[in-house]
Amino acid sequence: MTLRILLITLLLGGCLKDETISGYAPDGAVFTLQSIDDTPFPASATISFPAQGRVTGQAPCNSYFAMQTVPYPWFNVEAIGASKRACPDLAAEQTYFAALSEMTLSEVSGTTLILSNDAGRKMVFTTQN
């Protein structure tokens, strides 16, 4: 009996839907940042969700990766890691990472991703995929 319950649990666990953003975003989508707080972003930055709980992207200067462990529509990036290249857009990169770390909600609608928080901050991304 215990073995049967264990097998059923394992089988059902393999069938559960990905509840992070990667389960709701279009497959292979790379979202490009358009604005932060309704102000056009002056540099190039991307974000994608290649697998459950994984976040990757290209900030204005460096590639980055992080973990996203809360279920959709909640958003929380943890343990952001990035390469260490310097470039003229380093201030924009710091603005990007600071805003990204403050976001707590996400909404995927077709080719648009909106990250926001209860303080009224908002990041709008779009994709061509």
Side-chain angles (χ1 to χ4, degrees):
M1 180 69 170
T2 303
L3 181 57
R4 185 177 300 166
I5 293 172
L6 179 61
L7 284 173
I8 290 171
T9 302
L10 289 173
L11 288 173
L12 289 176
C15 298
L16 294 177
K17 182 176 177 168
D18 176 1
E19 290 296 326
T20 61
I21 293 177
S22 62
Y24 293 85
D27 286 341
V30 176
F31 293 94
T32 302
L33 181 62
Q34 302 301 312
S35 64
I36 297 177
D37 301 329
D38 297 322
T39 300
F41 192 64
S44 177
T46 65
I47 192 168
S48 62
F49 308 93
Q52 184 171 348
R54 290 189 54 218
V55 178
T56 62
Q58 179 64 47
C61 297
N62 295 285
S63 59
Y64 68 96
F65 58 91
M67 297 299 298
Q68 197 255 327
T69 57
V70 295
Y72 183 83
W74 306 110
F75 184 80
N76 179 40
V77 290
E78 297 177 5
I80 296 176
S83 54
K84 302 289 185 197
R85 291 190 331 241
C87 79
D89 290 328
L90 203 50
E93 180 163 293
Q94 291 170 340
T95 298
Y96 175 72
F97 284 139
L100 191 63
S101 67
E102 291 179 21
M103 300 299 115
T104 58
L105 294 169
S106 61
E107 178 184 348
V108 176
S109 179
T111 60
T112 302
L113 166 67
I114 299 172
L115 301 178
S116 61
N117 67 21
D118 291 338
R121 301 214 56 206
K122 178 171 68 171
M123 300 174 80
V124 177
F125 297 80
T126 60
T127 185
Q128 299 299 329
N129 294 5

